[in-house]
Amino acid sequence: MTEPGEVRASDAEREAVVEQLRVASVEGRLTLAELTDRTEAAYTATTQAELAMLTQDLPAAGGYAPVAAPAPERKKRRWFVGVMGDSKRRGTWRIDQELGAVAVMGDVLLDLREAEVRTDRVEILAVSVMGDVKIIVPDGVYVDLDGMAIMGDKKVNVMQAPPGMNVPVVRVQAYAVMGDVKVIGDSQVPPLQRGFAAWREHWRRLHGEDWREIGRQVRAEGREIRRQLREDRRHLGY
C-alpha cells in the first residue's frame, strides 16, 4: 500500500506549485534566488510530499487575495550609473520597475540574487561605453540577451534551465561600445553570505537517500505499532 507521502506527483501538480511560487514572488515572499531554486526543485520532485515541502511556508493556493493587476502606466525606469566610478546594488532590494545600467569609463554591478522581484520578469537596459556592466543572476533563470556590441563584448555565462520550464526570466537589452555587458550565474561568483545554496543542498539531500530513509523509518514504526496492537488484542481475548 502506498504511503500518503509517496504518491507520485503529476505534471499538472508540478505546474500548479510553480505558479504558486511565482505568485508568492510577486507578493514579495520569495527572493529571485529562492524562486529559482524552488522552481527547479518543483520540476524535479517525484512525490506530492516533496512538492508540499516547497510551499509549506507560503499561503495555500487560493487562500489569499489575488495579485492586483499592474497599473496602466509603467513606473519610471530605475537607473544605476557609473561615470568614471562604480555603482553597485546587491543584497536585499526590491525590483518593481524596469532597470537601467549605464557605465561610462566605470563599472556597474547589479546582483539580482537576493532581490524581491515584484514583476513577472526583470527588464534591464544596459549601456557600456569603455566601461563594464555586470549582472549576477541565480543559475536556473532564463536569460534573454539582445542588443549590439561595437569593439566590445556582450555575453551570458549562466547555467540555464532546460527548455519548457516556467522559470524566472531576465531580459537584457545591451549596447556596448568598447566596453562589456555580462550576465553571469551565481556559480561563477563568490557564494552569498547567507544562502539559498544551503537550502538547495538541503532539498537535494531530502530528495535523495535521506528522504527515502525517513520513509522507511516511518513505515517500520507503523508496522511495529500495528504488531503491538495485535498482541494487545490477543492478550485481552479480542
Side-chain angles (χ1 to χ4, degrees):
M1 182 177 178
T2 304
E3 298 291 332
E6 294 182 341
V7 175
R8 288 274 177 167
S10 68
D11 289 341
E13 288 168 335
R14 294 186 187 94
E15 291 293 346
V17 168
V18 169
E19 176 62 15
Q20 185 178 353
L21 294 171
R22 186 197 65 79
V23 171
S25 173
V26 173
E27 293 182 333
R29 302 179 192 275
L30 298 174
T31 66
L32 182 60
E34 291 169 335
L35 172 61
T36 303
D37 278 348
R38 296 194 191 195
T39 299
E40 174 190 351
Y43 279 114
T44 58
T46 57
T47 67
Q48 292 178 352
E50 292 170 354
L51 287 177
M53 188 174 68
L54 299 175
T55 58
Q56 64 183 0
D57 59 346
L58 301 175
Y64 48 89
V67 179
E73 294 184 3
R74 288 177 175 268
K75 291 185 177 181
K76 292 182 179 179
R77 191 185 302 272
R78 183 178 180 181
W79 290 97
F80 299 87
V81 180
V83 179
M84 301 180 67
D86 298 340
S87 178
K88 299 180 181 179
R89 191 64 178 92
R90 51 162 58 102
T92 302
W93 56 301
R94 178 183 293 189
I95 298 176
D96 55 6
Q97 62 201 104
E98 296 182 359
L99 305 178
V102 178
V104 181
M105 293 186 288
D107 299 324
V108 174
L109 170 66
L110 298 180
D111 189 340
L112 308 184
R113 293 174 292 173
E114 294 183 285
E116 293 180 0
V117 179
R118 302 299 185 94
T119 56
D120 286 335
R121 62 179 56 87
V122 181
E123 302 272 0
I124 303 175
L125 173 63
V127 179
S128 174
V129 180
M130 293 187 290
D132 185 17
V133 175
K134 182 184 294 184
I135 302 166
I136 303 174
V137 300
D139 284 313
V141 304
Y142 173 72
V143 178
D144 182 10
L145 177 62
D146 199 1
M148 59 182 294
I150 301 173
M151 299 177 65
D153 193 15
K154 63 180 183 68
K155 63 181 180 181
V156 176
N157 187 5
V158 177
M159 296 171 56
Q160 302 198 46
M165 291 188 177
N166 185 18
V167 298
V169 176
V170 177
R171 299 191 188 279
V172 181
Q173 190 76 18
Y175 300 95
V177 180
M178 293 186 288
D180 297 329
V181 175
K182 301 176 182 177
V183 185
I184 60 177
D186 59 90
S187 60
Q188 307 297 317
V189 297
L192 296 172
Q193 291 301 314
R194 68 174 205 275
F196 62 89
W199 189 93
R200 177 187 292 171
E201 182 60 28
H202 174 66
W203 160 260
R204 286 174 177 168
R205 286 198 303 271
L206 288 178
H207 190 60
E209 292 299 325
D210 289 355
W211 180 261
R212 289 192 287 272
E213 180 60 29
I214 290 172
R216 284 193 291 268
Q217 291 176 3
V218 170
R219 290 193 296 275
E221 290 174 0
R223 287 193 295 269
E224 178 60 24
I225 290 171
R226 290 193 292 272
R227 186 195 64 78
Q228 188 62 49
L229 287 173
R230 287 195 297 269
E231 289 291 329
D232 291 345
R233 285 197 294 269
R234 278 199 296 269
H235 288 309
L236 293 172
Y238 291 158

